[in-house]
Amino acid sequence: TIEQGTLLEQIRVWKEKRNALILAHNYELPEVQDVADILGDSLALARAAAQTAADVIVLCGVHFMAETAAILNPEKTVLLPDAEAGCSLADSITADQLRAWKQEHPGAVVVSYVNTSAEVKAESDYCCTSANAVEVVNSIPADKEVLFCPDMFLGSYVKRMTGRENMHIWLGECHVHAGIAPADISDTLSAHPQAELLIHPECGCSTSNMYLLAEGQLPADRTHVLSTSGMLQRARTSSQEEFIVATEVGILHQMERQNPHKRFIPANRKAICPFMKMITLEKVLASLVEMRTVIAVPAETAKRARIALERMVEIG
Ligand code: 13P
Ligand code: SF4
């Protein structure tokens, strides 16, 4: 439409004026994905934020992603086009709760998923994303107790993959992925028995899928537990024609765009993250024009959180 065309042109003009880089997560609205300079999973966005030469980073994603960019790049201005774009998973553990948990396990190594507040990261030894959680935990000496937070489904997946007994898992969840249930997988798979399964480890079905896989009830050669960018890569390289996608449905835009002749079936069509969808083209433009909302992390918190985040960016 003319309106969208004008918006896109204005975004381009203001992006140049501000020397800005637009980063977008794979769950953003299609038109926001299309305007991004870099589209990716949490790890790719953190890495892009750490490396850019731009003065301003517009983070089309949620609050913890903008905080991560700000921590890794303190001299840049990081803008979140809607300051209310939060994350139910990040809200499932506070820094006070983590401090109390650490006191119960003195000497334990804390691994926090990147979906956490800057204060929680500052209390952590390592951060990880879904793309490198297994590698991060494997990098910790086997005799060390591990506290993994906040996602219980990713935690139990990592525990299974690493075979680590001395790993404690916080009982947090993402309400969007927790809603993708075991029945969603079995129902979709009976309707599409030849399809390949792409499953995000935050999903409520991921734990039971591990048991089903072990029992041979899921096709081992066609089941893949991956981050969002891992799923996109698999969809491009697999020779399969049909895929069941168990994650937030925003990812289907790129999958379909990159593979026009393949078929993608969401495991649960209602898996929509309301926070990711708060970012619109209008808000992206307003954020560039008005330089808002600036996400800054207090220096002392950022300094401690950066150590955990830099370990995450380096591993995997
Ligand atoms: P990834 O894109 O890193 O797999 O993360 C998924 C997610 O839920 C981000 O909020
Ligand atoms: Fe948070 Fe879940 Fe939304 Fe990702 S999909 S931002 S984990 S609420």
Side-chain angles (χ1 to χ4, degrees):
T1 63
I2 298 171
E3 234 169 82
Q4 205 184 74
T6 319
L7 255 179
L8 292 175
E9 177 56 18
Q10 286 292 307
I11 290 172
R12 200 188 57 75
V13 168
W14 279 92
K15 204 176 76 168
E16 222 157 281
K17 219 181 256 191
R18 300 294 191 204
N19 186 25
L21 180 78
I22 302 181
L23 302 181
H25 188 267
N26 295 321
Y27 297 158
E28 288 295 301
L29 289 169
E31 60 273 24
V32 174
Q33 294 189 23
D34 293 346
V35 88
D37 297 301
I38 296 172
L39 184 69
D41 63 3
S42 314
L43 189 60
L45 297 184
R47 285 187 173 142
Q51 286 164 6
T52 182
D55 297 318
V56 173
I57 298 170
V58 181
L59 201 308
C60 301
V62 295
H63 193 269
F64 76 80
M65 295 178 175
E67 273 190 338
T68 299
I71 294 165
L72 288 170
N73 231 335
E75 68 285 0
K76 311 275 175 185
T77 304
V78 178
L79 305 175
L80 181 61
D82 189 324
E84 301 297 312
C87 169
S88 58
L89 178 55
D91 286 344
S92 65
I93 189 163
T94 64
D96 279 343
Q97 286 173 317
L98 178 52
R99 276 189 286 268
W101 200 30
K102 281 163 74 172
Q103 268 177 8
E104 290 168 26
H105 300 275
V109 176
V110 178
V111 180
S112 292
Y113 196 30
V114 71
N115 301 42
T116 43
S117 67
E119 291 79 21
V120 166
K121 289 184 176 75
E123 289 294 334
S124 307
D125 299 295
Y126 291 80
C127 284
C128 70
T129 75
S130 56
N132 68 358
V134 172
E135 287 93 333
V136 167
V137 170
N138 270 336
S139 77
I140 298 165
D143 60 328
K144 287 275 184 194
E145 241 188 329
V146 172
L147 301 183
F148 187 94
C149 73
D151 191 71
M152 61 174 159
F153 297 111
L154 176 66
S156 60
Y157 170 72
V158 171
K159 189 168 180 168
R160 199 176 173 92
M161 295 305 285
T162 59
R164 196 156 189 138
E165 289 302 325
N166 58 355
M167 180 173 155
H168 306 274
I169 302 164
W170 189 258
L171 293 182
E173 63 179 29
C174 150
H175 74 294
V176 181
H177 284 90
I180 303 177
D184 291 329
I185 300 293
S186 48
D187 292 354
T188 323
L189 197 56
S190 9
H192 304 273
Q194 296 313 314
E196 185 165 310
L197 275 172
L198 304 178
I199 301 168
H200 196 280
E202 280 176 31
C203 285
C205 61
S206 70
T207 311
S208 67
N209 287 337
M210 291 296 110
Y211 291 105
L212 294 176
L213 255 180
E215 289 166 8
Q217 293 190 47
L218 285 180
D221 55 333
R222 284 188 279 128
T223 303
H224 302 277
V225 179
L226 297 162
S227 76
T228 55
S229 288
M231 287 183 177
L232 284 166
Q233 196 190 345
R234 179 70 206 165
R236 283 194 301 271
T237 52
S238 169
S239 56
Q240 212 71 29
E241 306 263 297
E242 210 177 27
F243 300 82
I244 296 169
V245 183
T247 193
E248 210 271 356
V249 295
I251 198 168
L252 295 170
H253 175 60
Q254 284 309 310
M255 282 183 169
E256 285 163 355
R257 205 181 60 77
Q258 293 175 5
N259 309 278
H261 304 299
K262 297 182 180 177
R263 217 169 142 222
F264 300 96
I265 305 120
N268 182 333
R269 285 174 202 280
K270 294 193 196 118
I272 300 171
C273 175
F275 305 112
M276 290 281 182
K277 308 305 184 218
M278 289 169 100
I279 312 296
T280 60
L281 285 182
E282 286 82 358
K283 290 181 194 174
V284 172
L285 177 60
S287 77
L288 281 164
V289 175
E290 296 163 27
M291 290 294 278
R292 68 175 168 83
T293 298
V294 176
I295 303 298
V297 177
E300 197 44 42
T301 309
K303 194 173 140 198
R304 295 169 61 210
R306 195 173 303 123
I307 301 168
L309 273 174
E310 279 171 353
R311 288 176 175 161
M312 170 188 97
V313 172
E314 277 158 26
I315 300 175

